[in-house]
Amino acid sequence: MKRILSILLVIVLVVAAALFLRTIYERDQATRTGNAMVMDITTEALRSWDAALIIENADPALLSATQPDVFHTLFLALSRLGMLQELTDIRYEMILPSFWQISTTASADYTMQAAFEHGNAEIRISVTRKNGQWYFTSYQVLTPLLNA
């Protein structure tokens, strides 16, 4: 009887350890892919002032609330800032669900400072992860240049 209980205990411990390791792996992957998507697309979009990169990776809810032409017009106006020099003070907060939901949904909010040839801007981005794919739910470039 003790032998059977020992075997069952070992099996339970192995399964628990496997679930724990899977959760760590899934969280790490979600963080890596989210950060890579945000940074790669933001860097390229702000270097080329191409709103298409944001639109291609936007959540359908964002596109239904904001027409793609608005992004193109905004990026055209923002292009007066000139070439992107650097992104600094990058901060993010990621909300990942419990281990049994980790592969389906997650969300993150990013803020960063951008230095351009002709001014500075604060970038605020929100993303959501659905079925392993990250999408922009909000994308703001805040600069005094737009007030001028």
Side-chain angles (χ1 to χ4, degrees):
M1 184 68 158
K2 283 185 179 183
R3 182 175 168 97
I4 292 174
L5 287 176
S6 296
I7 291 172
L8 285 175
L9 180 62
V10 168
I11 290 171
V12 167
L13 289 175
V14 168
V15 169
L19 283 174
F20 178 74
L21 291 174
R22 179 182 174 269
T23 300
I24 290 172
Y25 174 77
E26 289 286 339
R27 286 178 176 271
D28 183 60
Q29 285 297 104
T31 302
R32 284 182 195 213
T33 58
N35 288 343
M37 189 274 283
V38 167
M39 295 310 300
D40 292 349
I41 291 174
T42 295
T43 301
E44 184 58 33
L46 297 179
R47 279 196 176 131
S48 64
W49 292 110
D50 184 5
L53 296 168
I54 307 301
I55 295 166
E56 289 170 7
N57 293 281
D59 187 74
L62 175 61
L63 294 178
S64 67
T66 308
Q67 295 299 316
D69 290 346
V70 171
F71 286 103
H72 291 293
T73 303
L74 177 64
F75 271 53
L76 181 61
L78 289 168
S79 68
R80 295 185 299 167
L81 285 167
M83 193 70 168
L84 176 65
Q85 303 297 309
E86 68 177 333
L87 293 171
T88 59
D89 195 25
I90 301 164
R91 299 176 189 190
Y92 71 93
E93 181 180 353
M94 193 166 286
I95 300 168
L96 298 168
S98 303
F99 73 90
W100 61 86
Q101 298 172 320
I102 189 70
S103 63
T104 57
T105 62
S107 63
D109 295 310
Y110 292 79
T111 59
M112 58 193 81
Q113 300 301 313
F116 297 93
E117 286 176 307
H118 306 293
N120 298 315
E122 179 180 351
I123 314 299
R124 294 181 186 171
I125 301 167
S126 295
V127 293
T128 188
R129 183 176 188 232
K130 297 177 184 176
N131 298 317
Q133 179 67 39
W134 287 97
Y135 299 98
F136 291 107
T137 55
S138 174
Y139 200 98
Q140 300 174 335
V141 180
L142 308 172
T143 177
L145 179 70
L146 291 179
N147 296 334

